[in-house]
Amino acid sequence: MPPLRNLVEDAQKALEASIMYYKGQAVGTIAARDRDALALNYDQCFVRDFVSSALVFLTTGREEIVRNFLEITLTLQSQERRMDCFKPGLGLMPASFKVELRGGGEVLIADFGEHAIARVTPIDSCLWWMILLRAYVKATGDLALANHSDFQHGMRLILRLCLETRFDMYPTLLVPDGSFMIDRRMGVYGYPLEIQALFYAALRAAEELLLPNDLDGIHTAVIERLGHLAFHMRSYYWLDMQRLSEIYHYKGEEFGISAVNKFNIYASSIPAWFINWLPDEGGYFAGNIGPSLIDFRFFTLGNLMSVVTSLSTKEQSSNILTLVENRWDDLVGQMPMKICFPAVEDRDWQLFTGFDPKNVPWSYHNGGNWPVLLWFLVAAAVKTGNIQLAENAIKLTELRLGKDLFPEYYDGKNGRLIGKEARRYQTWSIAAFLLSKQLIANPEHLKLITFEEDDRAIACEF
Ligand code: GLC
């Protein structure tokens, strides 16, 4: 048996050591503290990574760190209307920030992707920020923070960016490649699931947190969009045996409003692996839907966040967990949990990743196993009453995570090898473990991140 108490203590110490300070106050956690690897930007506080740490802090009486984080990231938000293409769009939140000494004082330096590899835009940051603000309010009851005019303004800027300025007419959000946790080219541009699930959660957070005066119509737009988005995701992204059969019999080239095959999906684009892999019981949301496109890959964060936030219906949520159970070796393997399944290989790898040597099949973003995803699995499992599944996943993590020094990711079809270029002491791997233990010990904490079931889905002529 692994020394459990020590593992929790080790993780707590490691999380403590990752805390970043600004003017004497704890404001975030750095991404990784691996002395043997090049820091690159892993010595910065990433907005998406911090959410895992923040939820641990909120469940252990350390709310002030989360409050400080929310306040300083708000000051970093892009708040001016800009026509300069090299400046971040109004409302955007940075991917990460660091504290630097300049002219004898500390300053905060934000990165909106302009320093990141391939200059990717962190669209998920502003969505995570709203989700975290709502979690903070839930944990502390400090509604005054969200009601403050700066916060109301910050939220409205994010919502405008998502609701007003756009090129298309889908209820989903159109984004470039690599705009979320998968921040490299992986064929995840257009309407990737993870962004849609976070968008849905951010809208639900906004619905709760926006003050009722609605002079600009944003509050009404949020509620309307929630209904359309939920309908769109639940109907068009859903994949199970029945949907497979429908898609298999789709006719192409249908014109006009009565088209059944709205996205003009050609049945011959259904990959053979999917037909063989999809179990009789269970289902999941597709990775992406667009013109003549269904990305059949299973993306973990998007699917589990759909369960957690009630973007999926009760029945769909329970089917997603059934799928995880039925495909345990593929999706969980030896380290919960795979970021996406299956990996893209051969010519697909060349085309999707641009020959990316870090994203070779079954490594990193291309089918690697990421310990951070444990807490999403545990949260989804506890929410749907699958306690045993959650416990099994935590047990697997306990076997290796501490011994392997909390790696960022694992490689191989079943996640057996420490990732080739994985950082050790990766903060969100550490935080995910601690948070999972908290969630299972006290499921009350789930309410920080979950939303009530929602049956307001509205069909839209499309
Ligand atoms: C990598 C991951 C990204 C994460 C960052 C910091 O770039 O792809 O999701 O936020 O590292 O940990």
Side-chain angles (χ1 to χ4, degrees):
M1 278 298 281
L4 293 191
R5 237 176 72 83
N6 290 347
L7 181 55
V8 170
E9 275 174 16
D10 287 354
Q12 281 165 341
K13 273 193 210 136
L15 180 63
E16 201 60 36
S18 75
I19 294 178
M20 177 195 266
Y21 292 86
Y22 173 62
K23 299 193 171 158
Q25 290 201 309
V27 293
T29 48
I30 59 171
R33 220 170 35 86
D34 186 343
R35 297 218 167 80
D36 300 325
L38 265 184
L40 300 178
N41 52 358
Y42 281 86
D43 59 354
Q44 305 202 10
C45 176
F46 278 73
V47 172
R48 75 173 70 86
D49 295 41
F50 181 69
V51 172
S52 304
S53 309
L55 293 171
V56 175
F57 294 140
L58 290 177
T59 55
T60 52
R62 311 280 298 276
E63 297 87 357
E64 78 292 347
I65 308 182
V66 182
R67 187 192 169 106
N68 294 340
F69 169 89
L70 289 166
E71 282 174 347
I72 69 154
T73 42
L74 184 62
T75 68
L76 298 175
Q77 184 184 36
S78 176
Q79 297 246 355
E80 276 165 50
R81 203 170 149 250
R82 285 163 171 149
M83 305 295 242
D84 178 346
C85 64
F86 295 113
K87 296 278 187 302
L90 182 62
L92 218 63
M93 284 278 180
S96 61
F97 63 87
K98 61 181 169 183
V99 179
E100 263 189 21
L101 279 177
R102 285 196 189 167
E106 284 182 351
V107 284
L108 291 167
I109 310 283
D111 181 7
F112 287 85
E114 68 269 42
H115 298 289
I117 293 166
R119 308 286 182 262
V120 281
T121 316
I123 314 253
D124 63 342
S125 289
C126 60
L127 307 173
W128 275 124
W129 185 86
M130 288 220 285
I131 297 165
L132 186 59
L133 174 60
R134 185 261 189 178
Y136 168 83
V137 170
K138 279 254 164 197
T140 59
D142 180 10
L143 196 55
L145 186 77
N147 285 348
H148 195 279
S149 58
D150 289 355
F151 275 77
Q152 289 287 318
H153 181 63
M155 277 193 278
R156 286 190 130 78
L157 290 183
I158 296 169
L159 291 165
R160 285 216 184 91
L161 186 61
C162 297
L163 299 173
E164 251 174 32
T165 324
R166 60 212 195 98
F167 285 119
D168 64 338
M169 292 197 295
Y170 286 9
T172 35
L173 272 190
L174 174 64
V175 299
D177 216 341
S179 63
F180 52 98
M181 179 188 184
I182 298 181
D183 54 359
R184 290 164 92 96
R185 186 173 156 203
M186 266 284 288
V188 287
Y189 54 88
Y191 307 90
L193 173 65
E194 179 169 328
I195 287 286
Q196 314 315 326
L198 297 178
F199 180 35
Y200 176 81
L203 290 175
R204 296 239 11 211
E207 185 186 15
E208 283 178 28
L209 299 177
L210 281 179
L211 286 169
N213 65 356
D214 194 29
L215 300 176
D216 55 2
I218 289 272
H219 201 254
T220 315
V222 164
I223 295 170
E224 224 168 87
R225 189 67 169 265
L226 270 172
H228 292 316
L229 180 63
F231 177 82
H232 188 97
M233 300 302 297
R234 291 170 188 172
S235 335
Y236 305 128
Y237 276 63
W238 187 248
L239 297 173
D240 60 9
M241 271 315 287
Q242 193 196 324
R243 274 285 287 154
L244 168 58
S245 167
E246 275 166 36
I247 299 166
Y248 185 71
H249 292 100
Y250 266 162
K251 303 207 175 3
E253 319 289 328
E254 290 176 300
F255 179 78
I257 220 88
S258 60
V260 178
N261 181 4
K262 305 259 189 242
F263 299 91
N264 197 35
I265 305 298
Y266 294 106
S268 45
S269 72
I270 306 171
W273 72 261
F274 174 72
I275 300 175
N276 296 326
W277 187 75
L278 185 71
D280 290 337
E281 307 284 321
Y284 64 100
F285 284 130
N288 209 328
I289 300 261
S292 295
L293 167 82
I294 296 186
D295 184 341
F296 288 89
R297 283 177 290 172
F298 176 90
F299 285 86
T300 299
L301 197 151
N303 269 290
L304 297 178
M305 268 306 268
S306 300
V307 174
V308 169
T309 61
S310 297
L311 170 56
S312 42
T313 63
K314 245 189 155 151
E315 201 192 339
Q316 287 174 333
S317 294
S318 122
N319 276 317
I320 291 172
L321 269 299
T322 303
L323 179 103
V324 172
E325 232 175 344
N326 285 338
R327 292 292 174 260
W328 185 262
D329 290 346
D330 291 330
L331 298 177
V332 178
Q334 299 199 14
M335 179 54 69
M337 180 174 175
K338 204 160 274 304
I339 192 167
C340 64
F341 180 90
V344 287
E345 302 189 69
D346 306 319
R347 186 75 185 130
D348 282 346
W349 167 74
Q350 297 178 346
L351 289 173
F352 277 52
T353 73
F355 294 70
D356 185 345
K358 208 168 164 185
N359 272 338
V360 290
W362 309 110
S363 183
Y364 199 43
H365 299 135
N366 188 13
N369 290 42
W370 289 63
V372 61
L373 296 171
L374 174 72
W375 83 254
F376 294 90
L377 177 59
V378 169
V382 174
K383 177 161 184 266
T384 50
N386 288 285
I387 307 294
Q388 192 56 50
L389 190 153
E391 279 173 354
N392 293 345
I394 293 177
K395 268 193 207 127
L396 274 175
T397 306
E398 283 170 342
L399 289 176
R400 299 202 45 191
L401 200 64
K403 193 161 71 83
D404 295 344
L405 308 180
F406 305 99
E408 179 186 16
Y409 66 96
Y410 286 76
D411 284 351
K413 275 205 170 151
N414 302 110
R416 203 165 158 213
L417 296 159
I418 298 174
K420 200 163 225 160
E421 293 186 46
R423 295 285 182 296
R424 305 298 200 278
Y425 290 103
Q426 178 79 22
T427 304
W428 66 1
S429 301
I430 297 163
F433 171 67
L434 290 172
L435 180 59
S436 301
K437 296 292 267 187
Q438 293 278 2
L439 291 175
I440 203 103
N442 185 357
E444 258 293 287
H445 292 316
L446 257 189
K447 70 171 191 297
L448 303 187
I449 194 81
T450 52
F451 294 85
E452 295 286 306
E453 306 304 322
D454 177 21
D455 52 17
R456 289 172 297 176
I458 308 165
C460 37
E461 285 305 327
F462 187 73

